[in-house]
Structure formats: C-alpha cells, structure tokens
Amino acid sequence: MFPAELKIRDLAIRPATILAPMAGVTDTVFRRVIRSLGACGLIMTEFTSAEGLTRKAARTLHYLYFDEDEHPIAAQIFGADPDVMASAAALAEDLGFDHLDINLGCPVKKVVKCGGSGLLRDLPHLEKLLSAVRGAVRIPLTIKIRSGWDENNIVATDVARMAEQIGIEAIAVHPRTRMQGYAGSADWKIIRAVKDAVRIPVIGNGDIRVPEDAVRMAAETGCDAVMIGRAASSNPWIFSQIADYLATGRYQEPDESDRYHLLSDYFRNLIAAGMPDAIGKMKQFATLFTHGVRHGGELREAVHHAHTTAEILDRVDAFFAHTAASPAD
C-alpha cells in the first residue's frame, strides 16, 4: 500500500513523494519545473556547504534561494564541524525553510573529506554533530544517509537509532554504500531493516526509475515515502506519473511536444533567473531530457556546439519544428 502522506512533526507532505537534493540540478528553476508538473510532495535544495553558508559566500547563498511558491521546501546542508553545522542550520532556518536536512550520503570525494557519507565512518563524532544541529534549530530536522561506508561497515540501522534518540524526525535511506557510488543495485532490504528499527518516518531512495518501482519499494520496505533523484532529472514527469499510476493503474509517457515545451520553458526561465551557469545547465539538460526523442542525438550535438543561450534556444526551436514537420520513421 503506497502511503497517502508523510508526516514530519506538524508538516504533512502530500503526496508522499520527495525530490532528492542533487548538486547542479535542483536549483530554484528546476524545482519550479517539478512543482509545475504536480504531484511532488516535497522539494529540496541542492546540498549546500555549511562552511560556505556561515561565511555568507554569495555562491553558497545562491544555492538556498527559493520562491514562496516552492513551499513545502527543505534545505540540505553538509559539513563535518558540529559548531559550523549548527550555525549554518540556524541561518537556513532564518531563511524560512519548512525543514532542514543533513547530507550523510554524498559519495563524492571532495564532499566526503568534509562531511557527506564520510561521517558514517565515525559515529561518535556524528552523534556530536547531530546533537549540535538539533539544539540549534526549532524546525523539523531530518537526515539522508547511505547504508554505510562499505559492505563491511553497514551502519544504517545504528545511525537511525542514534538519530531518533537525538531528536531527528525522519531519515531517508539510500541503500548503497559510499564505495558503491551509484554502481550496482540498491539493497532495499536495508530500508526495511531501518523501518523495523525505529519509530520515526523512513524515506526510501534508490533505483526508482518508473512508477512501478516506487509502488514496489513501498510494498517491500514499508517506507513512509519515496525520494527520487536521478530519474527525476531525466524524467521530471515521474511524480505525476506515480500519481496517475496509483489512481488508474496507467500513466502516459511525455511526447515530443511535451519535451519541447518543458525544455524550451526551462531554458527561458534559466535565462530570466540570471543563472551564471545557464549555458552549462542548458547543455546538461538537453542531454537528459532528449533521450527517447526521435533523432535526439542530433539535438544534443547541436546544443553541445552552441556558444550562447540565444543560439541554444534557436537550435532547440529549429529542431522540434523540423521533427514536427517530418514524418515518423
């Protein structure tokens, strides 16, 4: 049975689906794309450096910008120093987020050196960090973890029990180890084990590629919500597809017109928002969004070799106008 809602203290998240925080992806423009397509209960920021936040670095603060229509929204921060994390958490609370999440799952080497999944190697230190952050904020506090550092150090249930005692109010579990990265398969049995170990809500994450996966994860693990990352970056419709699948047992795939309008609107919104890395984002999402599009490789090639935002928009418009006028293969 798929959960109707996720309750984190007095915050009711309906439906029980969450956009995972992704560096370079879940900025305010992309989050509003997800909101516009509907059926995503909670969106999250890119994971943000606590060190940068406490220094009030302009680039770091930019990661935490959001519009009022993005609520409910959570900020995710990472770091290894308990005092710095506590200060950053208080700053994030002051910005008006509905809740705060701590990243204990990122496997990237430069993040592991100062937080992320690296903290799973030192649970006494992690306990100090979580306690410091819990004492610094009044809003709901959650964590996102991996199963452990490697297959010989699976600590998800230990971390979950410790977090619950400290006052953490929900835990998202990506059941791969740090050493796995994104390779292999997510071991959903670990989500089940965490669910059985604690009373706080448990959010399942990992290997949800289509709506059927989300429903199967909920059934197999008993999780209280599902969190989707990489699949949403290439198929932003997945949340509305899950809602349709739950309601009717069916869902539609986006057609080329849907992809054109989403891609074109997203690009124009990037430009309007003054994103400093708009060209890079446009090239990244042209690659993600156009798999499954007829002759999509030609569009990816054209966008990759463009030099300005205007040139990219022209090539996107020209490509879809041409394919609309061409007979199907």
Side-chain angles (χ1 to χ4, degrees), residues 110-133:
K110 67 178 182 180
V111 174
V112 166
K113 289 179 180 178
C114 55
S117 58
L119 292 169
L120 300 177
R121 293 176 293 183
D122 188 347
L123 298 195
H125 180 76
L126 177 58
E127 184 175 14
K128 293 177 184 177
L129 186 148
L130 295 180
S131 296
V133 177

Side-chain angles (χ1 to χ4, degrees), residues 24-51:
V25 177
T26 53
D27 57 37
T28 182
V29 178
F30 183 77
R31 294 192 306 261
R32 279 182 279 149
V33 166
I34 296 295
R35 275 277 179 256
S36 72
L37 295 171
C40 179
L42 176 70
I43 54 179
M44 304 185 80
T45 67
E46 302 176 66
F47 61 86
T48 304
S49 164
E51 292 280 354

